[in-house]
Amino acid sequence: TPQRIRDSMHRIRERAAQQGRDPASVAAGLLLFVHVASDRETARRRIVEDLTTRYNQPFEPLVDRYCAFGTAADCAATIGGFLEVGVSNLVLKFTCTPAEQLDQQAAFAERVLPLIRRP
């Protein structure tokens, strides 16, 4: 969660300072599973299906904590929460079939990215 990243980065930067390292040189990164759809429930269902198959375990209880999904605004809101706490390296994994990969990337680029892009 954003709060967990904030707390962890605070501890990591304190430790860096104790060791004589510039705390500002420590960057926060995150791998985030993403699925853009016309509604939140459709995206949630798709992301649960994909991750449950991929990791061979039930992902239903984890999706809300580890994924950005739903409409462009839903995805942007989730990502924005991580950016606000200082995540500067964001790796996106689109949860979809290989045939849908380019469509998901395009949906993200065209509809989500403009909502999170900083001036």
Side-chain angles (χ1 to χ4, degrees):
T1 65
Q3 185 60 47
R4 185 172 177 195
I5 289 176
R6 176 184 285 139
D7 294 345
S8 295
M9 289 306 296
H10 177 73
R11 287 192 306 273
I12 290 167
R13 287 182 175 135
E14 280 183 340
R15 181 75 173 161
Q18 292 169 356
Q19 295 179 351
R21 185 172 172 191
D22 177 12
S25 71
V26 180
L30 177 68
L31 167 64
L32 189 63
F33 299 107
V34 178
H35 191 90
V36 184
S38 59
D39 64 271
R40 192 159 172 82
E41 255 329 289
T42 298
R44 189 176 198 286
R45 186 174 59 255
R46 293 297 309 283
I47 213 165
V48 166
E49 290 169 2
D50 183 76
L51 294 176
T52 296
T53 300
R54 182 183 312 272
Y55 292 103
N56 196 30
Q57 70 177 43
F59 234 82
E60 181 77 30
L62 305 172
V63 166
D64 296 315
R65 291 179 53 200
Y66 296 105
C67 307
F69 60 91
T71 65
D74 293 330
C75 293
T78 299
I79 292 167
F82 289 111
L83 297 177
E84 286 176 14
V85 299
V87 170
S88 58
N89 298 302
L90 186 61
V91 176
L92 304 176
K93 171 62 180 121
F94 295 97
T95 55
C96 58
T97 65
E100 297 169 311
Q101 193 67 224
L102 291 178
D103 290 338
Q104 278 293 301
Q105 291 172 1
F108 186 86
E110 294 167 6
R111 301 188 339 235
V112 180
L113 197 54
L115 299 176
I116 60 173
R117 200 173 262 153
R118 294 181 182 167

